[in-house]
Amino acid sequence: MKLQAVIFDLDGVVTDTAHLHFLAWRRVAKEIGITLDEQINEQLKGISRMESLARILRSGGAEQRFDEPQRVQLAQRKNALYVESLRQLNMSSVLPGIRELLNELHVNGVGVGLASVSLNAPQILQALGLERLFDFCADASRIKHSKPDPEIFMAACTGLNVEPRCCIGIEDAQAGIDAINACGMLSVGIGTALLQADLRLASTDELSWASLQTFWLTKHRQQAV
Ligand code: G6P
Ligand code: MG
């Protein structure tokens, strides 16, 4: 079976905005008396803005203190801090190996999709100078369920007009790996702690057209046996 498309997560795969999300949430959390550590942060990757806030409030035992309008305000404050921090992004903020991989996928006629639940995704791709290298970006504003629900990856497959089993998904979050697997795509995890990834790589450095091709062929040979 031919590989038809590769679908990328954004934060933590294409660029290191995962850390910027953390810094913005940590500041907002501190303002309301909650200490946010890296461990909770791991559980926010791939999770929408409002759901992330709900998890932070839960972790600090503060769920009852904030009603819906106050939560919206907190989420807006976090986003304002986050968007401010995005001003530091430029074409050199793309993680190692990603731009080269995107170019090679194009040259080899493999579709390229984005499956990020971030509402800031379009402006981030623009800041990185990558928007033309993506054939289809799933629209986060139309997505009802955060990862690990497969909805955003399915939307990317639909937009690219490909079947999930003909695709590879790349993620840095456990929720994202679970979403990819739930679609029936092959999953590539960036980070050694991810469970159930079909291929685990320590960093994007190790991602290349050659490594993806080998992975694809090996998996399909195994299935054929
Ligand atoms: C990605 C990130 C999450 C973030 C979500 C929403 O999935 O991994 O940490 O909460 O996008 O991002 P946004 O930019 O819309 O607040
Ligand atoms: Mg991510």
Side-chain angles (χ1 to χ4, degrees):
M1 192 180 359
K2 188 184 172 293
L3 171 63
Q4 290 184 0
V6 177
I7 301 179
F8 293 77
D9 171 47
L10 175 67
D11 299 302
V13 171
V14 173
T15 185
D16 191 20
T17 37
H19 188 61
L20 301 179
H21 278 293
F22 172 60
L23 294 179
W25 276 130
R26 188 172 65 176
R27 182 141 157 215
V28 171
K30 194 171 174 210
E31 287 167 2
I32 56 171
I34 297 175
T35 307
L36 199 67
D37 59 26
E38 291 275 2
Q39 205 184 340
I40 301 170
N41 187 51
E42 267 318 298
Q43 294 164 25
L44 305 181
K45 292 181 177 175
I47 307 299
S48 72
R49 199 179 303 165
M50 291 308 284
E51 176 59 24
S52 294
L53 176 62
R55 290 187 185 200
I56 291 167
L57 295 179
R58 210 176 305 141
S59 79
E63 280 167 297
Q64 310 301 328
R65 274 174 52 204
F66 300 94
D67 61 16
E68 191 54 25
Q70 289 170 315
R71 286 178 187 226
V72 169
Q73 266 187 4
L74 288 171
Q76 280 171 349
R77 163 109 181 104
K78 181 267 174 176
N79 193 51
L81 291 168
Y82 177 64
V83 168
E84 174 65 28
S85 72
L86 291 178
R87 287 171 58 177
Q88 62 189 265
L89 292 187
N90 55 47
M91 288 172 74
S92 62
S93 313
V94 181
L95 282 169
I98 295 293
R99 193 183 298 276
E100 296 76 1
L101 174 59
L102 294 172
N103 279 317
E104 287 202 89
L105 291 171
H106 270 280
V107 169
N108 289 284
V110 177
V112 175
L114 189 79
S116 169
V117 298
S118 173
L119 297 166
N120 292 296
Q123 78 186 76
I124 293 173
L125 285 189
Q126 207 173 4
L128 299 173
L130 290 182
E131 70 274 38
R132 286 207 201 99
L133 290 174
F134 282 84
D135 300 305
F136 183 79
C137 298
D139 182 351
S141 69
R142 290 170 178 263
I143 298 301
K144 292 199 175 64
H145 307 288
S146 277
K147 299 165 189 176
D149 191 288
E151 188 180 3
I152 188 98
F153 281 99
M154 292 303 294
C157 288
T158 305
L160 289 165
N161 197 23
V162 292
E163 280 185 55
R165 65 192 182 93
C166 302
C167 302
I168 291 174
I170 307 180
E171 263 289 348
D172 70 319
Q174 188 61 52
I177 294 293
D178 296 343
I180 294 171
N181 291 345
C183 291
M185 298 165 59
L186 282 183
S187 54
V188 175
I190 306 299
T192 46
L194 297 169
L195 305 174
Q196 312 289 338
D198 294 306
L199 174 68
R200 255 192 318 232
L201 302 174
S203 84
T204 58
D205 255 333
E206 296 175 20
L207 263 181
S208 66
W209 171 231
S211 67
L212 286 188
Q213 263 182 310
T214 307
F215 164 58
W216 182 259
L217 290 174
T218 309
K219 281 287 166 191
H220 285 88
R221 214 171 287 139
Q222 279 170 6
Q223 282 168 14
V225 174

